[in-house]
mmCIF file of all heavy atoms in Angstrom:
data_model
loop_
_atom_site.group_PDB
_atom_site.id
_atom_site.type_symbol
_atom_site.label_atom_id
_atom_site.label_comp_id
_atom_site.label_asym_id
_atom_site.label_seq_id
_atom_site.Cartn_x
_atom_site.Cartn_y
_atom_site.Cartn_z
ATOM 1 N N ARG A 269 -15.563 4.387 3.088
ATOM 2 C CA ARG A 269 -14.878 4.064 1.848
ATOM 3 C C ARG A 269 -14.336 2.677 1.733
ATOM 4 O O ARG A 269 -14.140 2.192 0.606
ATOM 5 C CB ARG A 269 -13.791 5.153 1.574
ATOM 6 C CG ARG A 269 -14.307 6.515 1.368
ATOM 7 C CD ARG A 269 -15.249 6.789 0.338
ATOM 8 N NE ARG A 269 -14.786 6.348 -0.996
ATOM 9 C CZ ARG A 269 -14.183 7.183 -1.915
ATOM 10 N NH1 ARG A 269 -14.100 8.502 -1.524
ATOM 11 N NH2 ARG A 269 -13.843 6.741 -3.019
ATOM 12 N N LEU A 320 -10.775 15.596 3.154
ATOM 13 C CA LEU A 320 -12.075 15.493 2.545
ATOM 14 C C LEU A 320 -12.198 16.318 1.354
ATOM 15 O O LEU A 320 -12.802 15.769 0.251
ATOM 16 C CB LEU A 320 -13.149 16.061 3.558
ATOM 17 C CG LEU A 320 -14.592 15.974 3.096
ATOM 18 C CD1 LEU A 320 -15.101 14.517 2.813
ATOM 19 C CD2 LEU A 320 -15.525 16.577 4.080
ATOM 20 N N LEU A 321 -11.714 17.498 1.244
ATOM 21 C CA LEU A 321 -11.689 18.315 0.012
ATOM 22 C C LEU A 321 -10.958 17.466 -1.102
ATOM 23 O O LEU A 321 -11.489 17.481 -2.282
ATOM 24 C CB LEU A 321 -11.106 19.599 0.100
ATOM 25 C CG LEU A 321 -11.854 20.643 1.000
ATOM 26 C CD1 LEU A 321 -10.984 21.919 1.321
ATOM 27 C CD2 LEU A 321 -13.174 20.961 0.375
ATOM 28 N N PHE A 322 -9.977 16.864 -0.897
ATOM 29 C CA PHE A 322 -9.190 16.023 -1.754
ATOM 30 C C PHE A 322 -10.102 14.969 -2.397
ATOM 31 O O PHE A 322 -10.156 14.736 -3.731
ATOM 32 C CB PHE A 322 -7.946 15.436 -1.189
ATOM 33 C CG PHE A 322 -7.102 14.529 -1.956
ATOM 34 C CD1 PHE A 322 -6.426 15.164 -3.029
ATOM 35 C CD2 PHE A 322 -7.001 13.166 -1.660
ATOM 36 C CE1 PHE A 322 -5.556 14.261 -3.770
ATOM 37 C CE2 PHE A 322 -6.174 12.341 -2.459
ATOM 38 C CZ PHE A 322 -5.380 12.949 -3.528
ATOM 39 N N GLU A 323 -10.844 14.306 -1.513
ATOM 40 C CA GLU A 323 -11.716 13.275 -1.984
ATOM 41 C C GLU A 323 -12.949 13.870 -2.790
ATOM 42 O O GLU A 323 -13.215 13.300 -3.952
ATOM 43 C CB GLU A 323 -12.292 12.432 -0.828
ATOM 44 C CG GLU A 323 -11.348 11.520 -0.149
ATOM 45 C CD GLU A 323 -10.850 10.371 -1.015
ATOM 46 O OE1 GLU A 323 -11.693 9.715 -1.607
ATOM 47 O OE2 GLU A 323 -9.606 10.166 -1.189
ATOM 48 N N ALA A 324 -13.426 14.903 -2.285
ATOM 49 C CA ALA A 324 -14.647 15.516 -2.879
ATOM 50 C C ALA A 324 -14.349 16.080 -4.243
ATOM 51 O O ALA A 324 -15.183 16.230 -5.094
ATOM 52 C CB ALA A 324 -15.228 16.476 -2.020
ATOM 53 N N LYS A 325 -12.962 16.418 -4.424
ATOM 54 C CA LYS A 325 -12.609 16.962 -5.738
ATOM 55 C C LYS A 325 -11.963 15.847 -6.523
ATOM 56 O O LYS A 325 -11.123 16.060 -7.369
ATOM 57 C CB LYS A 325 -11.509 18.096 -5.608
ATOM 58 C CG LYS A 325 -12.116 19.407 -5.025
ATOM 59 C CD LYS A 325 -11.015 20.391 -4.784
ATOM 60 C CE LYS A 325 -11.590 21.601 -4.158
ATOM 61 N NZ LYS A 325 -12.585 22.421 -4.917
ATOM 62 N N ASN A 326 -12.467 14.603 -6.317
ATOM 63 C CA ASN A 326 -12.022 13.492 -7.125
ATOM 64 C C ASN A 326 -10.485 13.323 -7.132
ATOM 65 O O ASN A 326 -10.018 13.003 -8.101
ATOM 66 C CB ASN A 326 -12.664 13.480 -8.526
ATOM 67 C CG ASN A 326 -14.118 13.400 -8.511
ATOM 68 O OD1 ASN A 326 -14.677 12.564 -7.793
ATOM 69 N ND2 ASN A 326 -14.743 14.320 -9.319
ATOM 70 N N ARG A 327 -9.908 13.577 -6.037
ATOM 71 C CA ARG A 327 -8.425 13.425 -5.798
ATOM 72 C C ARG A 327 -7.629 14.200 -6.889
ATOM 73 O O ARG A 327 -6.664 13.748 -7.242
ATOM 74 C CB ARG A 327 -8.022 11.953 -5.905
ATOM 75 C CG ARG A 327 -8.720 11.098 -4.750
ATOM 76 C CD ARG A 327 -8.223 9.734 -4.626
ATOM 77 N NE ARG A 327 -8.301 9.267 -3.305
ATOM 78 C CZ ARG A 327 -7.474 8.490 -2.643
ATOM 79 N NH1 ARG A 327 -6.391 8.163 -3.252
ATOM 80 N NH2 ARG A 327 -7.686 8.175 -1.445
ATOM 81 N N ASP A 328 -8.071 15.276 -7.200
ATOM 82 C CA ASP A 328 -7.368 16.176 -8.124
ATOM 83 C C ASP A 328 -6.442 17.123 -7.312
ATOM 84 O O ASP A 328 -6.750 18.103 -6.752
ATOM 85 C CB ASP A 328 -8.386 17.137 -8.909
ATOM 86 C CG ASP A 328 -7.729 18.030 -9.872
ATOM 87 O OD1 ASP A 328 -6.500 18.222 -9.806
ATOM 88 O OD2 ASP A 328 -8.418 18.529 -10.842
ATOM 89 N N ALA A 329 -5.160 16.622 -7.257
ATOM 90 C CA ALA A 329 -4.188 17.272 -6.345
ATOM 91 C C ALA A 329 -3.884 18.670 -6.801
ATOM 92 O O ALA A 329 -3.662 19.548 -5.969
ATOM 93 C CB ALA A 329 -2.899 16.462 -6.249
ATOM 94 N N GLU A 350 -20.404 21.701 -6.623
ATOM 95 C CA GLU A 350 -20.202 20.393 -6.974
ATOM 96 C C GLU A 350 -19.420 19.577 -5.775
ATOM 97 O O GLU A 350 -19.819 18.464 -5.415
ATOM 98 C CB GLU A 350 -19.286 20.323 -8.228
ATOM 99 C CG GLU A 350 -19.349 19.036 -8.997
ATOM 100 C CD GLU A 350 -18.462 19.094 -10.173
ATOM 101 O OE1 GLU A 350 -18.069 20.256 -10.725
ATOM 102 O OE2 GLU A 350 -17.889 17.971 -10.569
ATOM 103 N N THR A 351 -18.501 20.423 -5.289
ATOM 104 C CA THR A 351 -17.695 19.756 -4.158
ATOM 105 C C THR A 351 -18.657 19.589 -2.875
ATOM 106 O O THR A 351 -18.705 18.592 -2.267
ATOM 107 C CB THR A 351 -16.487 20.780 -3.758
ATOM 108 O OG1 THR A 351 -15.803 20.949 -4.947
ATOM 109 C CG2 THR A 351 -15.674 20.153 -2.713
ATOM 110 N N ALA A 354 -20.889 16.569 -3.259
ATOM 111 C CA ALA A 354 -20.124 15.348 -2.978
ATOM 112 C C ALA A 354 -19.995 15.154 -1.506
ATOM 113 O O ALA A 354 -20.107 14.108 -0.920
ATOM 114 C CB ALA A 354 -18.758 15.434 -3.696
#
Side-chain angles (χ1 to χ4, degrees):
R269 295 301 302 269
L320 180 62
L321 290 174
F322 180 66
E323 287 295 309
K325 289 178 182 296
N326 297 316
R327 297 190 153 219
D328 180 342
E350 204 183 330
T351 307

